[in-house]
Amino acid sequence: MKKSLIALAAVAASGAAFAQSSVTVFGVVDQAVSYVNGGENWNGINSGANSTSRLGFRGVEDLGGGLKANFWLEAGVLADTGSGKSGYSANETSSDALAFKRRSTIGLEGAFGEVRMGRELTAAYNATARYDLFGSVGFGASRVWNDGVLGVAANSTTATTNGVNLTTQRVGNMLTYVSPSFSGFKAAVNYGFGEATGDNSKSRYVGAGLTYDNGPLSLGLSAERQNTLNTAGAYASGPAQTTRDVTAWALGGSYNLGVVKVLAAYRDAKAKDDVTGGKDKMKGAYIGLSAPVGAAGEVKVTYNRYEAQQFNADKYKADQFALGYVHNLSKRTAVYGTYAYIKNKDDGALAINLNGTSGGTLKTNGSQHGLQVGVRHNF
């Protein structure tokens, strides 16, 4: 159960009451036994195969007149090792220390919507990645919204000739506005300060997301641009150390028919090299189905298609299938299983996603199988 620490301010001598505030401690511990079958096999325990393990603090203060102040600090945890090396973007050098890399924001909210500052998931990511039934984690996660270089998991230290740079999922030094809901429509925009001396636009991020939620229908549209995304901080050597201007757009939607929910999404990204002017291109399409099983279970089936082309270099395609089942033992605890299969074509070398952990090798035909069985607990 989430624990709330509620502080009620003392009443002043005049009888006026100060604002009420509350702080909530929350988190997730999620671990799974994993097996990968390929050219070389791998087995072990992974953190966050159903939901990312994390520890967070969030709070709100009622300032009166409909105005509230809020903060959110959230750190990722690799629960299998106890490391804090989680929540980093692919262009950042990660550390074992616990850091609030998942989110660190402060804001004001009211009838006008919400304005906040700090590091968090972008509005573009939130608008469309929400249609991934596997929540962007575990073997079943879609790589349509992959962080950093497609074909290399976030936090990897291995360079690759099969990488295509995409925008980052999280941006720091960011100013965010989220509108109120208007008949189901909601908009959010981000501006990430480049903070480069003499030229703030050098590393600037700009993005927006528009969503519509009304009954069984949900829709999302997003667009974003990251100037001079530099991957050199995450990769030790090789072609991944390049500087790119990245633009991307995506759309997605879902419809709940009751007995089954249908979800789909598409994303298109281009990364222009600052030196050569050449463009890397990546397209990803996703479709998913989910269905309730009794009062406590859910079955999930997804298919992803990835197509990418490096400028004057490698081209690859990959198909990914995933099947999952989640069974809720209580409101806070669940057990789950996920099976995933990936098959590469052309020059593709995309493997099962192990959240930065080496996961064996592909078979000679470019395929790989993965299986995870785990437990998730929310608090």
Side-chain angles (χ1 to χ4, degrees), residues 319-343:
D319 296 296
Q320 176 186 337
F321 301 88
L323 172 65
Y325 176 72
V326 179
H327 187 84
N328 294 295
L329 301 175
S330 70
K331 291 183 178 180
R332 294 181 291 133
T333 303
V335 293
Y336 61 88
T338 301
Y339 166 77
Y341 170 77
I342 195 163
K343 178 67 167 64

Side-chain angles (χ1 to χ4, degrees), residues 33-191:
V33 177
S34 304
Y35 172 72
V36 177
N37 174 261
E40 293 180 335
N41 298 337
W42 184 91
N43 60 78
I45 294 179
N46 287 121
S47 174
N50 176 262
S51 183
T52 303
S53 297
R54 70 195 75 172
L55 174 65
F57 308 87
R58 59 176 178 255
V60 61
E61 181 183 19
D62 190 342
L63 301 175
L67 184 65
K68 296 180 180 180
N70 62 62
F71 78 90
W72 191 310
L73 297 173
E74 185 174 330
V77 179
L78 297 181
D80 54 334
T81 64
S83 169
K85 190 181 291 187
S86 177
Y88 288 80
S89 298
N91 62 318
E92 297 175 324
T93 302
S94 57
S95 167
D96 286 328
L98 190 70
F100 296 106
K101 285 292 184 176
R102 287 182 58 82
R103 181 167 172 177
S104 55
T105 62
I106 187 168
L108 294 172
E109 57 185 300
F112 58 87
E114 182 180 359
V115 177
R116 53 183 182 252
M117 297 180 289
R119 176 187 173 90
E120 61 178 307
L121 289 168
T122 66
Y125 179 85
N126 285 329
T128 56
R130 60 187 181 145
Y131 300 111
D132 181 4
L133 282 171
F134 288 93
S136 301
V137 296
F139 288 174
S142 173
R143 247 69 71 80
V144 169
W145 302 274
N146 202 72
D147 201 4
V149 179
L150 188 67
V152 179
N155 303 328
S156 173
T157 57
T158 303
T160 177
T161 57
N162 298 91
V164 173
N165 296 55
L166 305 179
T167 46
T168 182
Q169 294 175 0
R170 291 178 173 85
V171 173
N173 304 306
M174 191 163 64
L175 184 64
T176 298
Y177 170 71
V178 181
S179 77
S181 179
F182 298 100
S183 302
F185 287 98
K186 199 170 187 178
V189 293
N190 303 125
Y191 180 86

Side-chain angles (χ1 to χ4, degrees), residues 7 22 30 69 73 156 159 188 192 219 294 328 350 369 373:
S22 66
D30 181 322
L73 297 173
S156 173
L219 300 171
N328 294 295
L350 188 61
H369 302 260
V373 178

Side-chain angles (χ1 to χ4, degrees), residues 109-368:
E109 57 185 300
F112 58 87
E114 182 180 359
V115 177
R116 53 183 182 252
M117 297 180 289
R119 176 187 173 90
E120 61 178 307
L121 289 168
T122 66
Y125 179 85
N126 285 329
T128 56
R130 60 187 181 145
Y131 300 111
D132 181 4
L133 282 171
F134 288 93
S136 301
V137 296
F139 288 174
S142 173
R143 247 69 71 80
V144 169
W145 302 274
N146 202 72
D147 201 4
V149 179
L150 188 67
V152 179
N155 303 328
S156 173
T157 57
T158 303
T160 177
T161 57
N162 298 91
V164 173
N165 296 55
L166 305 179
T167 46
T168 182
Q169 294 175 0
R170 291 178 173 85
V171 173
N173 304 306
M174 191 163 64
L175 184 64
T176 298
Y177 170 71
V178 181
S179 77
S181 179
F182 298 100
S183 302
F185 287 98
K186 199 170 187 178
V189 293
N190 303 125
Y191 180 86
F193 290 86
E195 298 192 351
T197 302
D199 185 5
N200 189 66
S201 66
K202 185 177 181 180
S203 300
R204 178 176 58 197
Y205 174 87
V206 180
L210 176 65
T211 59
Y212 176 75
D213 296 284
N214 190 357
L217 178 64
S218 175
L219 300 171
L221 176 66
S222 68
E224 56 189 325
R225 178 181 174 87
Q226 171 73 65
N227 290 354
T228 57
L229 177 65
N230 192 341
T231 63
Y235 303 99
S237 61
Q241 290 196 26
T242 54
T243 303
R244 313 283 178 87
D245 290 334
V246 181
T247 56
W249 66 272
L251 57 86
S254 67
Y255 195 87
N256 194 339
L257 298 168
V259 294
V260 66
K261 186 177 183 179
V262 183
L263 309 93
Y266 174 84
R267 187 171 189 264
D268 185 287
K270 294 180 176 65
K272 181 179 179 181
D273 191 283
D274 282 1
V275 178
T276 67
K279 289 184 178 181
D280 290 349
K281 301 177 182 179
M282 185 269 177
K283 296 184 292 184
Y286 159 90
I287 187 168
L289 297 172
S290 71
V293 178
E298 180 189 16
V299 172
K300 302 180 285 189
V301 182
T302 63
Y303 165 72
N304 288 273
R305 171 73 168 189
Y306 313 112
E307 296 184 6
Q309 171 72 63
Q310 281 189 294
F311 177 67
N312 287 340
D314 292 338
K315 176 176 70 174
Y316 66 79
K317 298 177 182 178
D319 296 296
Q320 176 186 337
F321 301 88
L323 172 65
Y325 176 72
V326 179
H327 187 84
N328 294 295
L329 301 175
S330 70
K331 291 183 178 180
R332 294 181 291 133
T333 303
V335 293
Y336 61 88
T338 301
Y339 166 77
Y341 170 77
I342 195 163
K343 178 67 167 64
N344 289 271
K345 301 176 182 179
D346 298 333
D347 299 316
L350 188 61
I352 292 291
N353 187 2
L354 281 173
N355 298 327
T357 303
S358 176
T361 61
L362 295 169
K363 295 181 179 181
T364 55
N365 66 355
S367 68
Q368 200 175 49

